[in-house]
Amino acid sequence: DTEVTQTPKHLVMGMTNKKSLKCEQHMGHRAMYWYKQKAKKPPELMFVYSYEKLSINESVPSRFSPECPNSSLLNLHLHALQPEDSALYLCASSQWHRAYNEQFFGPGTRLTVL
Amino acid sequence: TQLLEQSPQFLSIQEGENLTVYCNSSSVFSSLQWYRQEPGEGPVLLVTVVTGGEVKKLKRLTFQFGDARKDSSLHITAAQPGDTGLYLCAGVVRRDDKIIFGKGTRLHILP
């Protein structure tokens, strides 16, 4: 199984809502990532988990809260988002967070904040 | 600031033509990946290059890693409409293991 899955595929939420994005991989990878991608731009790194511990937070606002319940799952909890947070949210995994860092991406969640 | 310059940003060519996309940086990379991304989908890994001077082929796509591991190129021979998409390079910086993405090359192959 060389797949990273993400749910939901699309999400529309209001600024007062609380929602969660989910990501799952069964490749035995020990590093997982959240990226945000705006239209016509490259992915921007948000968070890195290594061995289920948060190792990088790229100064992401606290309205985004990541969680790694186990080595296969990664969540992104959303609360009080702004319309400018609308984007494609991508999850990725790699064998580990080290120099040889081949990442596999999920299909993404298209988030719209009204 | 670590940068990975990717060029060209946009390319529209006729089916059957050849093209080359470049990624350049002042940083040395431990490895460099090339991805292709369709609209609304996640990037799909095409290749990883690790060794300076390395050349990898994937059907009509040829990837090269510079001798100094600061640059890479993607050459497509006889482009086809199915090659249309956003091509991204991403390098793992040797000094700090950070991953940096190029801004992408939006390729459109006209039938």
Side-chain angles (χ1 to χ4, degrees):
Chain A
D1 184 357
T2 57
E3 197 178 358
V4 177
T5 59
Q6 287 187 245
T7 55
K9 193 162 174 60
H10 301 276
L11 179 61
V12 179
M13 59 186 290
M15 290 190 282
T16 58
N17 293 158
K18 282 186 183 181
K19 297 286 185 184
S20 296
L21 309 184
K22 295 184 185 303
C23 174
E24 191 166 2
Q25 58 87 14
H26 294 288
M27 294 179 275
H29 288 174
R30 303 313 300 268
M32 295 185 77
Y33 310 78
W34 279 116
Y35 287 87
K36 173 182 176 180
Q37 188 178 27
K38 300 286 267 185
K40 302 190 191 306
K41 299 285 187 185
E44 296 174 32
L45 183 65
M46 299 174 72
F47 302 104
V48 180
Y49 271 83
S50 180
Y51 290 87
E52 295 136 67
K53 289 189 177 3
L54 183 65
S55 64
I56 294 178
N57 176 342
E58 292 285 357
S59 304
V60 179
S62 59
R63 57 185 184 269
F64 295 91
S65 175
E67 179 198 17
C68 191
N70 60 56
S71 60
S72 299
L73 293 173
L74 186 66
N75 298 322
L76 186 62
H77 303 298
L78 314 172
H79 174 54
L81 294 193
Q82 305 295 311
E84 59 264 29
D85 296 322
S86 298
L88 182 68
Y89 287 83
L90 294 163
C91 173
S93 71
S94 65
Q95 193 169 6
W96 51 71
H97 185 227
R98 272 289 182 260
Y100 185 82
N101 209 350
E102 195 171 63
Q103 293 187 32
F104 295 85
F105 283 84
T109 293
R110 171 72 59 190
L111 175 67
T112 303
V113 182
L114 301 176
Chain B
T1 304
Q2 297 160 348
L3 288 173
L4 187 50
E5 301 284 348
Q6 193 170 340
S7 62
Q9 276 190 280
F10 303 97
L11 189 56
S12 183
I13 62 172
Q14 290 293 135
E15 181 177 1
E17 293 184 11
N18 302 332
L19 66 108
T20 303
V21 178
Y22 300 93
C23 273
N24 296 286
S25 178
S26 56
S27 301
V28 176
F29 297 111
S30 305
S31 67
L32 189 140
Q33 286 83 46
W34 284 92
Y35 295 87
R36 187 170 80 196
Q37 187 175 21
E38 305 286 345
E41 300 291 329
V44 175
L45 181 67
L46 296 174
V47 79
T48 297
V49 286
V50 179
T51 307
E54 184 176 4
V55 176
K56 282 192 173 179
K57 288 183 185 290
L58 187 67
K59 297 183 181 177
R60 293 176 294 100
L61 278 60
T62 301
F63 304 85
Q64 186 157 7
F65 202 14
D67 290 339
R69 294 188 293 168
K70 294 182 178 182
D71 55 271
S72 181
S73 63
L74 157 60
H75 183 77
I76 302 180
T77 304
Q80 298 179 3
D83 296 328
T84 293
L86 176 67
Y87 288 81
L88 293 160
C89 60
V92 180
V93 181
R94 184 180 175 187
R95 188 176 66 244
D96 56 14
D97 284 346
K98 279 205 145 182
I99 300 157
I100 54 174
F101 275 84
K103 290 191 174 180
T105 294
R106 198 160 293 280
L107 179 61
H108 186 51
I109 309 301
L110 303 165

